Amino acid sequence: MKYTEAATRLFMATGTKFPRQVIWAMGLVKYASAKVNTELGLLSGDIGHAIMEASKEVMDGRFDDEVTVDVFQTGSGTGLNMNINEVIAERAGEISGKRIHPNDHVNLGQSSNDTVSTAIRIAAVHSSMLLLIPALNKLITSLGEKSSLFNTVIKAGRTHLRDALPITLGQELSGYLDAFSHDLKIIESTLDYVKELPIGGTAVGTGLNTHPEFQGRVIKEINEITSLDFKPANKFRGLKLLTDILNLSGALRATAIDLYRLGQDIRLMFSGPMTGLNEIDLPTQGEVAGSSIMPGKTNPVTVEATLLAVAQVVGLDHANQFASMLGEFELAMGVPLMGYNIVLQVHLLSEALSKFTNLVIDGMVPNTDRMRRYAESSPSLITVISPVIGYDKAAEIGRRLTHGLSIREALRELGYTDEQINEILNLEKLTKPGFPLSHES
């Protein structure tokens, strides 16, 4: 493997290797290309079938250890393409007993410029459909169930981290349910764009040194294996621009940020138990010790791990912004890095969504009494009940709230019966549209 051996000296040596999904996609492109070239009579049957068989073995992961080039390499991904070509040529030679050349045979009708840019798009779509879409759907389903289940659980609303009007836990969760539902639609729409493959463009998009039918026929073979409905791209756009992948990265970033916001709210509600909000319990988080020095401490470990994954997804998106700007004229020069990043983003976000759903949202238990006490202690309620009990009494309640009483307790001290208090503090009415309290005449 002459090219690969020399390239490892010239590229970076960070130890950053291409993920399984990208290697699989490269094997798929080589398999489909060899099959089409054989059917078109451009490769002899014995050589073509040997390349196909070796390419399948690459897809299956048999030679992952031999894909040694660093991700930080030449910007077109030539290092990766030639590494794969040489692995397949050597193995195909063993299978056929013939001398098979990595360029003349394995790379026939192709260029690094169109094969690697095609493979990273396949890897991004395949990993998204396999991992991300199911994980996001699972969170959406769980949020829908919890939103309905907790729709009557009254809690204090908060704005600027200060007390505000009442809301239900279900209403809070419904906001995130809607956000993630929109995120899913955006990701699915963006994936349709990423499905456009520039294979067949060879070096600059013209398709020189490849058969005119090559692009369409190769994509047909890829679709027969993946059932993912890939389509031909404008080859000039697909070689010079990676903005379709950048759009997907941006959609992943937006989803990650929504997950971050949900995680922060969960952390605050779980804070305590004595000196924080303690509005919810997360029983699963007690399965590991929260502290190596404080026995019995429970921390929101899954939430925190999720926030770390989110930070990485957002950071990789920023790297993708830079990588997508690399290149001039006919070629993008951030191909290997964006291929690595987008697959890593999908895997990180998918894992975070899955664990967060299973261990946090599914296991959430509201502390309903504490939530209601907070809601009944909010100074914002004074404005609501003032027309009913009068300004002077409302002012007195406000003074008593500063001493730690709830509005219910303050009203009781002012002589109101529990029945009267329940009518005044009908918090359920305050969580719905309308004018719940009328002025006394």
Side-chain angles (χ1 to χ4, degrees):
M1 296 198 294
K2 295 180 180 179
Y3 180 95
T4 302
E5 291 171 1
T8 54
R9 295 194 298 271
L10 295 173
F11 300 153
M12 298 297 104
T14 67
T16 309
K17 303 305 179 185
F18 287 96
R20 169 95 280 277
Q21 203 75 29
V22 170
I23 298 173
W24 169 84
M26 285 296 297
L28 174 59
V29 170
K30 296 300 175 180
Y31 170 86
S33 298
K35 184 174 183 183
V36 169
N37 282 327
T38 303
E39 291 172 347
L40 291 170
L42 300 175
L43 282 175
S44 64
D46 52 355
I47 289 179
H49 286 96
I51 293 174
M52 290 166 60
E53 187 174 336
S55 297
K56 280 186 177 179
E57 292 179 353
V58 168
M59 292 171 65
D60 292 339
R62 178 171 174 179
F63 301 108
D64 284 4
D65 289 344
E66 295 184 31
V67 182
T68 56
V69 289
D70 203 279
V71 167
F72 299 93
Q73 58 171 272
T74 179
S76 62
T78 302
L80 174 61
N81 186 43
M82 283 304 303
N83 195 160
I84 294 291
N85 286 339
E86 290 181 340
V87 167
I88 291 174
E90 183 175 333
R91 176 59 183 149
E94 295 172 354
I95 292 169
S96 65
K98 295 188 175 235
R99 183 180 179 275
I100 294 181
H101 196 279
N103 297 82
D104 296 340
H105 299 126
V106 181
N107 203 58
L108 177 63
Q110 304 152 65
S111 164
S112 297
N113 301 347
D114 64 344
T115 55
V116 182
S117 60
T118 291
I120 64 171
R121 288 175 165 99
I122 293 172
V125 172
H126 187 257
S127 57
S128 294
M129 298 303 296
L130 185 68
L131 301 172
L132 180 63
I133 301 300
L136 194 47
N137 270 316
K138 192 172 182 181
L139 176 59
I140 290 168
T141 298
S142 181
L143 283 172
E145 293 172 352
K146 294 299 183 181
S147 176
S148 177
L149 181 63
F150 300 149
N151 201 42
T152 58
V153 177
I154 303 290
K155 68 187 297 291
R158 297 180 179 89
T159 58
H160 306 276
L161 286 180
R162 302 288 286 178
D163 303 324
L165 291 167
I167 192 171
T168 73
L169 180 57
Q171 287 171 329
E172 279 191 339
L173 295 178
S174 75
Y176 287 110
L177 168 63
D178 186 68
F180 288 114
S181 297
H182 281 290
D183 291 335
L184 176 61
K185 291 176 182 177
I186 293 169
I187 289 171
E188 289 176 333
S189 175
T190 305
L191 285 173
D192 283 339
Y193 186 15
V194 182
K195 287 180 181 180
E196 297 180 13
L197 305 180
I199 190 70
T202 60
V204 295
T206 61
L208 182 67
N209 284 346
T210 196
H211 194 282
E213 298 177 14
F214 187 79
Q215 183 184 41
R217 294 177 70 152
V218 167
I219 291 174
K220 181 181 177 182
E221 292 297 332
I222 290 170
N223 282 333
E224 288 195 5
I225 293 173
T226 65
S227 300
L228 290 175
D229 194 29
F230 290 102
K231 301 173 285 288
N234 177 298
K235 296 185 286 292
F236 301 101
R237 188 270 302 167
L239 295 190
K240 74 169 63 180
L241 297 172
L242 299 173
T243 40
D244 55 328
I245 299 177
L246 182 61
N247 283 339
L248 177 57
S249 176
L252 299 180
R253 180 201 66 227
T255 306
I257 288 172
D258 284 337
L259 184 58
Y260 182 91
R261 278 294 310 273
L262 175 55
Q264 288 288 67
D265 286 355
I266 295 293
R267 287 179 71 232
L268 285 169
M269 286 191 285
F270 185 59
S271 62
M274 304 307 295
T275 59
L277 295 181
N278 192 27
E279 290 186 329
I280 61 171
D281 190 23
L282 301 173
T284 61
Q285 302 300 278
E287 294 176 9
V288 296
S291 171
S292 61
I293 191 173
M294 292 176 279
K297 192 172 188 291
T298 301
N299 294 337
V301 292
T302 302
V303 183
E304 292 171 2
T306 295
L307 300 186
L308 296 186
V310 163
Q312 187 76 344
V313 170
V314 173
L316 290 171
D317 175 67
H318 195 49
N320 287 339
Q321 294 174 46
F322 275 86
S324 65
M325 292 190 291
L326 296 173
E328 304 81 22
F329 300 110
E330 274 61 66
L331 187 62
M333 295 299 292
V335 175
L337 181 59
M338 286 194 73
Y340 173 84
N341 284 351
I342 197 70
V343 171
L344 180 55
Q345 285 173 288
V346 169
H347 279 256
L348 284 170
L349 188 54
S350 301
E351 176 71 3
L353 288 165
S354 294
K355 286 286 178 65
F356 195 91
T357 301
N358 294 338
L359 299 176
V360 179
I361 300 301
D362 285 351
M364 182 191 307
V365 179
N367 295 333
T368 55
D369 291 343
R370 191 173 183 97
M371 283 186 174
R372 191 169 189 99
R373 177 178 174 83
Y374 284 147
E376 292 181 352
S377 300
S378 174
S380 64
L381 291 182
I382 297 174
T383 303
V384 179
I385 69 173
S386 178
V388 178
I389 67 174
Y391 182 89
D392 292 337
K393 288 183 179 179
E396 178 60 28
I397 286 177
R399 286 189 287 272
R400 297 188 183 211
L401 290 185
T402 63
H403 296 292
L405 293 181
S406 69
I407 292 179
R408 177 177 294 276
E409 291 166 338
L411 285 169
R412 191 176 287 125
E413 286 191 359
L414 291 178
Y416 287 89
T417 67
D418 286 342
E419 184 178 352
Q420 290 172 316
I421 293 172
N422 288 336
E423 180 61 28
I424 294 170
L425 291 181
N426 191 335
L427 299 187
E428 284 74 13
K429 286 185 179 180
L430 301 185
T431 62
K432 299 173 184 177
F435 301 94
L437 301 177
S438 59
H439 290 264
E440 289 183 334
S441 56

